[in-house]
Amino acid sequence: QILNELTVNAHTQILVTAPDQSTQSYTGSQALAFETDGEYMISLDETTDNGSLIHYEFFVDVLNLPNITISNLSPLQGEVLIIEFTNLRLNSTIDIDSQFSPSAISQANHEARLYLPMEYKATAKQYPLDITINGKKYAYVLDVQDYDFKKEYFNIDQDILDATTGNPAAANEFKAAIYPLSEPIEPVEYWSGNFTLPVLNAEVSSGFGDQRYINGATTPSRHGGIDYAIDCGTDVYASNAGKIDFAKLLIITGNTVVIDHGLGLKTYYEHMQDLAVSQGDMVEKGQLIGHVGKTGVATGCHLHFQSMIKNQMINPAFLFDLIK
């Protein structure tokens, strides 16, 4: 391991000679960092009660390898993986080669972590995942499993569709406001613990990735989040801590809030009755951000809850199982 504890008597003198022959001296027990591979010489000198000098000398042959942990090698479509690294050399370079686009990387001291979203429209099959750290490649296989996407058949008043999703101005407004949010990536993680439900005691009226046949359409649209049906005016809470990237009324999604949780992970709260936060605010997990409504394209009171990493939709239900 890069970080090691050397336990000695309080007055023992320690001299560490690195592979490049540079030296560092210490007194007493120490946390030693072996950043470079190769042979280190450790010299210890201590004086006994009768004045005798005792000298110890030993060698440590260092070949450090990073520890890599992937949260699930057989994920479901729409799942988000956490990849964690420990025992990293300082300022290590980490590259990810995958069908799926990784988040930004949080790296501090000898540890790092990132998120890897399983794009829900990607075919369930095996995908290679290559992780290169400081030029050394580690090869894995992700065996992506089918998720049970439901089918829904329902009608929406055509006048509502014509004024929203069928309205070029509304579509352009949505694209101009929401699409650019996938690019700015906060280099820190704001969230902690697990994500929590944005509304309490609500019924799931539409699931993530549902195939929706609207007004007799023969080709389905895909639902990008989870709909929680409950009375208008019900409190809506931030699912976890983060920064408010967006908080405005849009024609299609109504009163909408986007929270940036860091490294490219964001949650979306749509169709709200009102807004209790503003762009740029920092919010804590469980903080009130608005109330359930039916603004935008909505057939009734509900909250549309969605999550994305960069421009890739993930199933927000998987966030509830993430722990940090």
Side-chain angles (χ1 to χ4, degrees), residues 21-35:
Q21 300 307 303
S22 62
T23 60
Q24 286 187 294
S25 58
Y26 310 92
T27 301
S29 297
Q30 293 293 323
L32 300 181
F34 298 146
E35 289 283 348

Side-chain angles (χ1 to χ4, degrees), residues 34-87:
F34 298 146
E35 289 283 348
T36 304
D37 290 346
E39 189 177 71
Y40 290 74
M41 185 175 74
I42 314 293
S43 298
L44 309 178
D45 289 302
E46 62 178 57
T47 303
T48 65
D49 291 340
N50 64 9
S52 298
L53 176 67
I54 301 177
H55 177 78
Y56 303 90
E57 195 171 276
F58 61 93
F59 296 87
V60 177
D61 191 11
V62 174
L63 177 59
N64 278 314
L65 298 175
N67 300 317
I68 304 172
T69 303
I70 301 173
S71 58
N72 189 0
L73 289 174
S74 297
L76 290 164
Q77 293 166 311
E79 188 171 343
V80 57
L81 307 183
I82 292 185
I83 302 178
E84 296 182 290
F85 308 88
T86 57
N87 205 48

Side-chain angles (χ1 to χ4, degrees), residues 36 61 70 103 105 149 196 208 254 289:
T36 304
D61 191 11
I70 301 173
S103 72
I105 300 174
F149 297 112
T196 57
F208 172 77
I289 61 172

Side-chain angles (χ1 to χ4, degrees), residues 1-3 19 33-40 61-68 85-94 105-112 132-138:
Q1 299 298 303
I2 291 173
L3 299 179
F34 298 146
E35 289 283 348
T36 304
D37 290 346
E39 189 177 71
Y40 290 74
D61 191 11
V62 174
L63 177 59
N64 278 314
L65 298 175
N67 300 317
I68 304 172
F85 308 88
T86 57
N87 205 48
L88 284 177
R89 294 192 183 94
L90 293 177
N91 304 313
S92 287
T93 58
I94 302 173
I105 300 174
S106 171
Q107 187 170 346
N109 298 322
H110 300 279
E111 299 180 352
T132 302
I133 302 175
N134 299 324
K136 181 176 175 58
K137 186 168 76 172
Y138 303 85

Side-chain angles (χ1 to χ4, degrees), residues 8 46 63 116-117 135 152 154-155 161 176 180 220 244 260 293 300 303 306 320:
V8 295
E46 62 178 57
L63 177 59
L116 189 65
E152 290 184 315
F154 60 92
N155 295 316
L161 292 178
I244 303 297
D260 185 343
L303 175 76
Q306 184 170 315
F320 304 140

Side-chain angles (χ1 to χ4, degrees), residues 46-313:
E46 62 178 57
T47 303
T48 65
D49 291 340
N50 64 9
S52 298
L53 176 67
I54 301 177
H55 177 78
Y56 303 90
E57 195 171 276
F58 61 93
F59 296 87
V60 177
D61 191 11
V62 174
L63 177 59
N64 278 314
L65 298 175
N67 300 317
I68 304 172
T69 303
I70 301 173
S71 58
N72 189 0
L73 289 174
S74 297
L76 290 164
Q77 293 166 311
E79 188 171 343
V80 57
L81 307 183
I82 292 185
I83 302 178
E84 296 182 290
F85 308 88
T86 57
N87 205 48
L88 284 177
R89 294 192 183 94
L90 293 177
N91 304 313
S92 287
T93 58
I94 302 173
D95 295 304
I96 308 296
D97 185 8
S98 170
Q99 161 80 16
F100 308 100
S101 181
S103 72
I105 300 174
S106 171
Q107 187 170 346
N109 298 322
H110 300 279
E111 299 180 352
R113 53 189 270 128
L114 60 89
Y115 322 133
L116 189 65
M118 303 293 97
E119 168 57 46
Y120 77 108
K121 292 183 180 178
T123 303
K125 64 176 186 178
Q126 292 188 338
Y127 295 91
L129 168 63
D130 292 332
I131 300 173
T132 302
I133 302 175
N134 299 324
K136 181 176 175 58
K137 186 168 76 172
Y138 303 85
Y140 299 88
V141 174
L142 297 176
D143 189 12
V144 178
Q145 307 295 306
D146 278 312
Y147 184 84
D148 185 17
F149 297 112
K150 308 297 184 185
K151 292 183 179 180
E152 290 184 315
Y153 300 86
F154 60 92
N155 295 316
I156 298 178
D157 189 300
Q158 193 60 46
D159 290 340
I160 294 177
L161 292 178
D162 290 342
T164 54
T165 55
N167 177 2
N172 290 335
E173 176 194 56
F174 179 82
K175 290 178 182 178
I178 299 300
Y179 283 20
L181 297 180
S182 65
E183 294 302 325
I185 296 176
E186 292 291 319
V188 297
E189 292 178 295
Y190 294 122
W191 65 281
S192 62
N194 62 306
F195 282 71
T196 57
L197 286 167
V199 288
L200 303 179
N201 304 315
E203 176 188 353
V204 175
S205 56
S206 288
F208 172 77
D210 284 357
Q211 302 174 65
R212 311 178 101 181
Y213 296 85
I214 301 173
N215 295 353
T218 57
T219 302
S221 58
R222 299 299 293 270
H223 190 228
I226 298 175
D227 284 349
Y228 293 101
I230 198 167
D231 293 340
C232 285
T234 301
D235 290 348
V236 177
Y237 306 105
S239 185
N240 216 315
K243 184 172 76 173
I244 303 297
D245 262 6
F246 186 85
K248 288 183 181 178
L249 176 69
L250 295 173
I251 296 171
I252 292 177
T253 55
N255 282 307
T256 301
V257 166
V258 179
I259 302 178
D260 185 343
H261 302 286
L263 304 188
L265 173 60
K266 305 188 181 189
T267 51
Y268 298 68
Y269 310 74
E270 300 175 359
H271 308 300
M272 289 191 288
Q273 179 175 282
D274 55 22
L275 301 171
V277 291
S278 301
Q279 183 175 346
D281 289 350
M282 300 300 297
V283 294
E284 297 299 322
K285 177 166 57 178
Q287 181 174 329
L288 181 73
I289 61 172
H291 297 88
V292 172
K294 53 180 179 180
T295 55
V297 186
T299 57
C301 298
H302 76 286
L303 175 76
H304 175 87
F305 180 54
Q306 184 170 315
S307 55
M308 299 183 73
I309 293 177
K310 294 183 178 177
N311 61 348
Q312 301 159 104
M313 292 183 186

